[in-house]
Amino acid sequence: LLGAARQAGVDKNADVLKRIGEAQEALIQKSYLDQEIAKLVTDSVLQEKYQELLKLLPKDQIELKLSHIMVKTKAEADEIFKQLKAGKSFDDLVKEKSLDTESKQKGGDLGYVRKEELPKDFADLAFKTQKGSVVSEPMKIGDVGFSVIRVDDNRPVTPPEFSKVRDDIFKAVSPE
């Protein structure tokens, strides 16, 4: 397309040349401003903003590491509860019964979640459940089915390290 435009002489057109010049000037101005802003937004300024963000984060927040066995029906979930009470291993049931192929490959692992990331009723149950125990009721997962969920771990939520969020903070304080 560029070759065809040049062959047609579009690159010699006065309006096009004027617009190229304006675009070039705008790019030079933006580059200059970016350089000047980078001089003003020092690591100490970014550290100060980081500390302000840390003050806004909720204190003493806990997150849970969950694993699940996803099945189609409540009856299947109830049957899994019976098998667990009879001594069957949660990990074995994940391999045998879970329909969630992605988490199934990781032993049902869903990773860590915070209370606000879960539906309220379920979050209330999950956060009352002891580490290593199965949540007392199956969780309905939309139209997909039901999950039998185990709480594998709990830990305090820790804020991200400055080095991991530095660039995001820089973008937030820099005009763009």
Side-chain angles (χ1 to χ4, degrees):
L1 186 60
L2 180 60
R6 284 191 171 139
Q7 192 172 10
V10 173
D11 60 331
K12 307 277 189 266
N13 180 293
D15 279 345
V16 171
L17 290 172
K18 181 181 175 197
R19 288 176 30 208
I20 289 172
E22 290 168 353
Q24 184 178 21
E25 287 177 6
L27 182 59
I28 291 168
Q29 289 172 13
K30 184 182 178 328
S31 295
Y32 174 74
L33 279 174
D34 288 349
Q35 284 178 332
E36 294 305 304
I37 288 169
K39 290 177 192 173
L40 296 172
V41 182
T42 62
D43 259 5
S44 64
V45 169
L46 296 176
Q47 266 296 350
E48 188 178 310
K49 292 295 178 192
Y50 175 69
Q51 293 305 318
E52 288 174 19
L53 289 172
L54 290 181
K55 289 176 188 172
L56 297 174
L57 293 177
K59 303 292 181 253
D60 302 325
Q61 197 176 25
I62 300 291
E63 59 187 359
L64 301 179
K65 184 174 192 237
L66 304 176
S67 294
H68 82 144
I69 304 167
M70 188 173 79
V71 293
K72 255 312 189 209
T73 67
K74 175 127 173 37
E76 289 173 290
D78 291 340
E79 179 58 33
I80 287 173
F81 273 105
K82 285 180 191 171
Q83 290 180 21
L84 288 168
K85 284 181 182 166
K88 185 110 184 198
S89 157
F90 187 93
D91 296 329
D92 289 343
L93 287 168
V94 168
K95 292 174 196 165
E96 291 172 25
K97 306 280 186 182
S98 188
L99 301 175
D100 182 354
T101 54
E102 188 176 321
S103 74
K104 185 177 189 173
Q105 295 172 3
K106 301 179 287 182
D109 186 6
L110 297 172
Y112 283 91
V113 295
R114 297 177 184 181
K115 194 169 190 173
E116 67 271 5
E117 295 172 332
L118 299 171
K120 184 184 178 343
D121 294 345
F122 175 67
D124 290 343
L125 280 175
F127 277 80
K128 289 178 187 169
T129 302
Q130 292 285 325
K131 179 173 150 180
S133 299
V134 174
V135 175
S136 62
E137 298 175 22
M139 172 71 186
K140 179 142 177 55
I141 311 290
D143 295 334
V144 179
F146 291 81
S147 279
V148 176
I149 298 174
R150 179 180 66 193
V151 177
D152 294 324
D153 191 19
N154 58 48
R155 67 181 183 194
V157 175
T158 56
E161 294 175 23
F162 174 72
S163 61
K164 297 210 186 316
V165 294
R166 183 197 180 285
D167 291 343
D168 293 332
I169 296 170
F170 181 84
K171 289 176 190 169
V173 299
S174 299
E176 185 64 17

